[in-house]
Amino acid sequence: MAKAALTFEKLFLVTEAAAMVRVSPWTIWAKLKNGELLRTKVGGRTVIRESELHKLIIDQPVEPKKLRASQARPLSGTILS
């Protein structure tokens, strides 16, 4: 019987994770605290699995930016009646 090869997931320190997703380390700490991200401890250090970062990126809905009436402009070539 063949043994299955072990594969290890990449682990990132909080500062590395923040740099990867372009947020501040404080944002990562807040998401760890409220349970949006799961942490792993290695040698007393808090690390974040790569799959957790993927969840953070994928699960974030993008909402369209709302413009005030003063910022809205008609599309070019539009005829206003």
Side-chain angles (χ1 to χ4, degrees):
M1 187 181 260
K3 290 185 178 179
L6 288 176
T7 57
F8 290 96
E9 195 171 354
K10 289 182 183 179
L11 301 173
F12 299 97
L13 296 172
V14 170
T15 53
E16 295 170 331
M20 287 189 67
V21 295
R22 295 184 174 218
V23 298
S24 75
W26 295 109
T27 301
I28 298 295
W29 283 111
K31 292 187 179 296
L32 289 168
K33 185 176 180 180
N34 70 20
E36 288 180 58
L37 284 176
L38 298 178
R39 73 182 81 210
T40 302
K41 290 284 205 167
V42 177
R45 292 184 175 188
T46 296
V47 292
I48 301 164
R49 293 182 173 152
E50 187 174 27
S51 61
E52 287 297 309
L53 291 179
H54 284 273
K55 287 193 315 189
L56 178 66
I57 295 167
I58 293 170
D59 292 343
Q60 295 299 315
V62 177
E63 305 231 355
K65 190 174 182 180
K66 294 183 180 181
L67 297 176
R68 293 186 301 244
S70 62
Q71 293 175 313
R73 290 181 259 165
L75 298 174
S76 61
T78 324
I79 300 173
L80 298 174
S81 46

